[in-house]
Amino acid sequence: MVSEVVSKAERFRALHHGRVPGEPLVLPGPWDAASARVFVDAGFPALATPSAGVAASLGYEDGATPADEMFAAVARIVRAVDVPVSADVEGGYGIAPKELVERLLEAGAVGCNLEDSDGGVLKDAARHADWLAEVRGAAGGQLFVNARVDVFIHGDSDPERAIERAALYVAAGADCVYPIGAPSDVLPLLRAGIQGPVNVLARLDGPSMSELGELGATRVTFGPGLQRRSAEAVRETAVGLR
């Protein structure tokens, strides 16, 4: 099992490198096994679960999913597909780095999103970087660590501050940086200032995937956007049935 996870982790990591502008890695966010199969059948080479989308599928508000239920949901998604799956595990649920890594690997995840805010407040960047370094040390090469930078949703939206925090996280061993909520017009500045892959949040009514790639995105994710679009489609169908 471990060798299989490492192999998938290597495949997942390789997908982030050697990409040309305009062709970012697009990672749909499945919220359950059925949606995961739909995305894989559509041809996507990897997936990245959204914590808010999974929470909605389990009947919780965003940020309120118990850790055990989140890991169980990730495990069900992983079992349903044969492509690498990265897991959004929010701020790590207060779990010590070694145990957090063990639980992610046990669920079959090859990567993780880790937030740098708590309760809507940015964490101390240096202390968070130290924590990320512990996660990296425990994971070795078995997990692709995507370090979320929350300056644009819980901070002052200063791109330079986002770049400073990103530099600390990359130095700590993060494989990718995720300045969630960054406006598209600051993406070129972020791309120029951040070393390594950059994850950009896409909106279904926003710039296209190729446009985001041209602006600096290495990879594109959707947060809970696809789950919410699906829920809206079900709602419209339900109304039509009455």
Side-chain angles (χ1 to χ4, degrees), residues 100-178:
L100 178 63
V101 168
E102 289 171 350
R103 297 194 69 173
L104 282 162
L105 295 177
E106 182 181 3
V110 301
C112 59
N113 277 16
L114 295 169
E115 303 171 2
D116 72 342
S117 65
D118 183 22
V121 178
L122 289 175
K123 298 176 182 178
D124 178 86
R127 284 200 293 270
H128 185 61
D130 289 342
W131 182 78
L132 287 174
E134 291 186 57
V135 173
R136 165 54 67 217
Q142 296 182 85
L143 286 176
F144 186 95
V145 177
N146 189 33
R148 210 176 86 173
V149 178
D150 289 359
V151 166
F152 297 97
I153 58 171
H154 296 313
D156 58 10
S157 297
D158 180 354
E160 294 298 337
R161 192 179 307 280
I163 291 171
E164 291 170 2
R165 295 175 79 90
L168 288 173
Y169 305 159
V170 170
D175 297 285
C176 184
V177 175
Y178 181 15

Side-chain angles (χ1 to χ4, degrees), residues 20-41:
V20 299
E23 294 184 9
L25 173 62
V26 179
L27 298 176
W31 52 94
D32 59 14
S35 59
R37 291 193 187 103
V38 168
F39 294 135
V40 171
D41 287 346

Side-chain angles (χ1 to χ4, degrees), residues 79-91:
R79 286 197 300 269
V81 297
D82 60 1
V83 302
V85 177
S86 182
D88 183 346
V89 289
E90 304 178 290

Side-chain angles (χ1 to χ4, degrees), residues 47-101:
L47 306 173
T49 68
S51 61
V54 173
S57 75
L58 296 174
Y60 293 102
E61 295 295 322
D62 185 20
T65 308
D68 288 350
E69 293 198 43
M70 183 62 76
F71 286 113
V74 170
R76 287 192 294 272
I77 289 169
V78 170
R79 286 197 300 269
V81 297
D82 60 1
V83 302
V85 177
S86 182
D88 183 346
V89 289
E90 304 178 290
Y93 308 110
I95 301 171
K98 184 174 183 297
E99 182 185 351
L100 178 63
V101 168

